[in-house]
Structures are given as C-alpha cells and as structure tokens.
Amino acid sequence: SEISGLHMIIKAVFSLLSEVGVEQAVLHRQHSLPHRPVIPLVARMADQNTSGTPAMTEREASRLDKFRQVLAGPNTDLEELRKLSWSGIPRQVRPITWKLLSGYLPANAERRESTLHRKRQEYFGFIEQYYDSRNDEHHQDTYRQIHIDIPRTNPLIPLFQQASVQEIFERILFIWAIRHPASGYVQGINDLVTPFFVVYVFEYIEEEVENFNVSSLQEEVLQNIEADSFWCMSKLLDGIQDNYTFAQPGIQRKVKALEKLVSRIDETVHRHMQQYEVEYLQFAFRWMNNLLMRELPLRCTIRLWDTCQAEPEGFSHFHLYVCAAFLVRWRKEILEEKDFQVRCFFVSCCAVPEPQCVLSLPSVSVRLVQMLK
C-alpha cells in the first residue's frame, strides 16, 4: 500500500540519519531568540573534518574501487553512480562525483575537460560583465545584504573568516543574484555555497581544512574552486528556485506537503502538534530555506548531500522525507512536550517572515558516530 511504501522510505531515511551521525541529536527548547540568530554549521571543526581519517577498511577500499571502476569508463553510467552514491561517496572521488550527479559535467569523459574550461571561462566572463555593478544604486541593497551575511556563514570556522574566501562567496552570490532577478539574493542561499566549496577545496589538499590558508593555493586553483562552486550551487538552486522567489511559494508548498506527509505516517505526532497549536511553518520554514544546514554539522550535511544528489529530485522532493524522519525519529520528545512556547519574528531585511521555534536541532547537540571518508 501507499502508506507502507511511505514507511519504507522513512525507515531508509532513519538509517541514513543514523549513518551521518545525527541520531543522538536532541530537541532543544529555545526560551529566547536573538533578532538574527547565527547558529554555526558545526560545533567543532573536528566534528566535520573529512581528512586525516584512519586507514581504510577492506569494505571502504572495495567501495572506493567500485566508484573508480564506474568513473573510469568512457561514458559514466549515471544510474549506477547514483546507486553507489546513495550510501555515501568516498572523499577521494566526491568532487568528480558531485560534479557528475549535479549535471555540471557530462557523462562522456572526453568532453569533461573542455566543459570545465568553457564553464570556468563563462563564470569569470560574468565577473567581468557584472561584478563592478555591485555599487550601482539598483544593486546596492543586494550587495549590502550579501556583504552582511557572508561573515555569519560558519562563524566558528577560521577558513570561512579568511578575506579571500569571503570575497569568493561575495562574487558567487552576487553573480547568481544578478543572473536570477526573479528571486535575487535571499538570506539562506549563502549557506548553500559552503558544502560545494569545502568539497572542491579538498580536491586539491590533503590536510584538514579548518585553518587551511586558501591563499597558499595557486590562483588558477582558487579560480577553479570558485567557478565549480558557482555552477554546482546554481544547478542545485535550479531545482528549488521557487523557494526563493517573491513570498517563497516553493517553501510554502513544501511545508504543506510535509504536514500532509506526517499526518499520514504518524497521525499521533500530527494531532499533538495541532492540539498545542504548533504550525509546521514555524519550524519547517528554516528546514526548507536552509536545507537543514543550520541544524546539522557541516560534515553531516556533506554526507547527506551525497544521498540527495543521488536522488533525481533530492533537494526538492527527497528532502521532505528527511524532514519527516526528523519528526518521527524524535516523536517521543515531541509527544512529551506540552509547552512549546513558539516565538515567531520577522527579519526586517526579508520580504517574508523567518519563523523559528523549539524544534531546532543545534549543532552542539549533535554527536557524530561515524567518521565520513
């Protein structure tokens, strides 16, 4: 039946959440909220470090070999690559795999180098064409908001506080906003650059990334990382752009879909929310707007994105099941709660409210159980 099928999907997501290390997260009551909360993506960089891991197990070496076999052919079997990637992508092949799964690179191996060259040139053509306009009167508000948000992105990680990294993020976000006038820049999009940036930095280094000085990389390498991050973020946003257009109708629809899904798979939790007048929008807005990046350590986000990119509609459809799995996984804590003390507030610089409530999962509560390779 359809309901049993839904439960099977949720069970699979349960397994995924356990693997990426969030099963120990706990629901946290927020009694007060700042005007613009800055919740770090990671509690400690050691929690999200994807380098310096122990020697591979036999199983891990076997998985890496399977990926390399699939990637070595003249035409990559994307369906097979998706099947392998659903259970996680080895760090050594994650950059090329993400580029293929996102649609940035073609399956045909011979065309990849020319595609990279062309797309990187195209991106820096946009920089030459548009970036100087950031100080024009009709673009000032967009650039000002980006400039304000960038230092708030991963504030506890030194990597993201480097001036050169912040300049890269400013260029990526400004160019994307200019080229997508229907939505422009919306707070939350800045978070979506970070997984791509970290993964593509690791394409060129072996050491831990927390305190890595990106200025030590060759200029061409930095440009490659910047352009690749821009295009892959753009591919992701192409599938969920209505999350960020006026009034954010995509998020409104997804929150309604989440409510309907939870009502079908766990009516008890759904009725409990109704009884205590907890609106799904009050907590799920941010889950959709930031793709749970404010709730999870960055290493967990990167692992979760392996699976989301392996799904044909991972960020627009599968993401709903991940959100539903959070609610069902912590149903005991939710059902025991009778005083939610929901507080919503408006962010003055946004056209729509950014609700918050007690169902957030702060990074400090997340214990990682499995090192991601």
Side-chain angles (χ1 to χ4, degrees), residues 181-242:
S183 62
Y185 173 74
V186 176
Q187 286 179 306
I189 294 178
N190 55 305
D191 288 336
L192 306 184
V193 185
T194 56
F196 293 114
F197 184 79
V198 167
V199 167
Y200 298 147
V201 166
F202 273 127
E203 189 171 5
Y204 298 96
I205 70 171
E206 293 294 330
E207 59 264 48
E208 192 210 323
V209 74
E210 177 182 16
N211 295 298
F212 179 76
N213 180 9
V214 297
S215 299
S216 65
L217 293 172
Q218 294 181 357
E219 183 178 356
E220 182 183 358
V221 167
L222 265 180
Q223 290 178 344
N224 292 346
I225 293 168
E226 178 175 346
D228 295 348
S229 298
F230 169 81
W231 286 116
C232 289
M233 184 197 76
S234 297
K235 289 287 188 180
L236 185 161
L237 288 169
D238 284 348
I240 57 172
Q241 191 177 350
D242 61 353

Side-chain angles (χ1 to χ4, degrees), residues 288-340:
M288 306 300 174
N289 190 61
N290 301 85
L291 298 179
L292 289 171
M293 287 193 60
R294 298 288 181 90
E295 276 56 57
L296 301 176
L298 183 53
R299 69 171 294 107
C300 290
T301 296
I302 289 173
R303 169 59 191 89
L304 184 60
W305 281 26
D306 288 346
T307 300
C308 287
Q309 294 192 88
E311 288 282 331
E313 297 178 295
F315 296 103
S316 60
H317 185 68
F318 179 75
H319 183 70
L320 292 176
Y321 291 93
V322 177
C323 293
F326 270 92
L327 295 174
V328 177
R329 170 61 183 80
W330 284 282
R331 70 188 306 276
K332 179 177 180 290
E333 290 83 353
I334 294 173
L335 294 175
E336 288 175 352
E337 183 60 69
K338 295 180 172 57
D339 183 14
F340 287 90

Side-chain angles (χ1 to χ4, degrees), residues 142-159:
T142 295
Y143 180 71
R144 184 183 301 114
Q145 190 59 57
I146 291 172
H147 190 72
I148 289 171
D149 286 349
I150 292 301
R152 297 170 173 171
T153 306
N154 296 317
L156 299 185
I157 303 178
L159 171 73

Side-chain angles (χ1 to χ4, degrees), residues 108-302:
N108 183 275
E110 288 186 357
R111 293 174 48 212
R112 287 176 198 161
E113 199 60 41
S114 61
T115 298
L116 281 174
H117 180 73
R118 174 172 53 83
K119 297 301 284 185
R120 288 166 177 171
Q121 280 195 324
E122 186 178 354
Y123 169 71
F124 282 100
F126 296 154
I127 296 291
E128 291 181 12
Q129 183 177 356
Y130 298 117
Y131 196 58
D132 285 344
S133 71
R134 65 190 183 281
N135 295 316
D136 293 354
E137 185 176 352
H138 58 294
H139 290 155
Q140 276 183 352
D141 288 344
T142 295
Y143 180 71
R144 184 183 301 114
Q145 190 59 57
I146 291 172
H147 190 72
I148 289 171
D149 286 349
I150 292 301
R152 297 170 173 171
T153 306
N154 296 317
L156 299 185
I157 303 178
L159 171 73
F160 296 108
Q161 301 310 307
Q162 295 176 35
S164 55
V165 173
Q166 294 188 356
E167 289 167 7
I168 286 172
F169 277 40
E170 285 184 359
R171 287 193 293 268
I172 288 173
L173 294 170
F174 183 77
I175 297 303
W176 189 89
I178 294 303
R179 288 182 47 78
H180 295 83
S183 62
Y185 173 74
V186 176
Q187 286 179 306
I189 294 178
N190 55 305
D191 288 336
L192 306 184
V193 185
T194 56
F196 293 114
F197 184 79
V198 167
V199 167
Y200 298 147
V201 166
F202 273 127
E203 189 171 5
Y204 298 96
I205 70 171
E206 293 294 330
E207 59 264 48
E208 192 210 323
V209 74
E210 177 182 16
N211 295 298
F212 179 76
N213 180 9
V214 297
S215 299
S216 65
L217 293 172
Q218 294 181 357
E219 183 178 356
E220 182 183 358
V221 167
L222 265 180
Q223 290 178 344
N224 292 346
I225 293 168
E226 178 175 346
D228 295 348
S229 298
F230 169 81
W231 286 116
C232 289
M233 184 197 76
S234 297
K235 289 287 188 180
L236 185 161
L237 288 169
D238 284 348
I240 57 172
Q241 191 177 350
D242 61 353
N243 281 11
Y244 305 104
T245 53
F246 179 73
Q248 297 179 271
I251 289 181
Q252 306 287 338
R253 285 196 301 272
K254 289 179 177 68
V255 171
K256 286 290 185 186
L258 176 63
E259 181 175 0
K260 182 178 179 181
L261 178 60
V262 174
S263 72
R264 297 173 70 186
I265 61 175
D266 198 327
E267 187 178 2
T268 304
V269 166
H270 178 68
R271 289 188 179 278
H272 185 75
M273 303 259 239
Q274 288 182 321
Q275 179 182 351
Y276 292 98
E277 299 180 339
V278 178
E279 298 290 337
Y280 282 73
L281 189 65
Q282 292 168 326
F283 61 87
F285 180 93
R286 192 172 76 178
W287 292 7
M288 306 300 174
N289 190 61
N290 301 85
L291 298 179
L292 289 171
M293 287 193 60
R294 298 288 181 90
E295 276 56 57
L296 301 176
L298 183 53
R299 69 171 294 107
C300 290
T301 296
I302 289 173

Side-chain angles (χ1 to χ4, degrees), residues 35-76:
H35 175 69
R36 177 67 172 89
V38 179
I39 301 178
L41 296 179
V42 294
R44 301 189 314 277
M45 194 61 182
D47 288 342
Q48 73 92 49
N49 176 28
T50 52
S51 66
T53 53
M56 285 189 293
T57 65
E58 185 176 340
R59 178 179 177 275
E60 290 163 347
S62 175
R63 273 184 55 74
L64 177 59
D65 185 58
K66 288 178 181 178
F67 270 91
R68 284 177 169 159
Q69 287 179 26
V70 171
L71 293 168
N75 289 285
T76 300

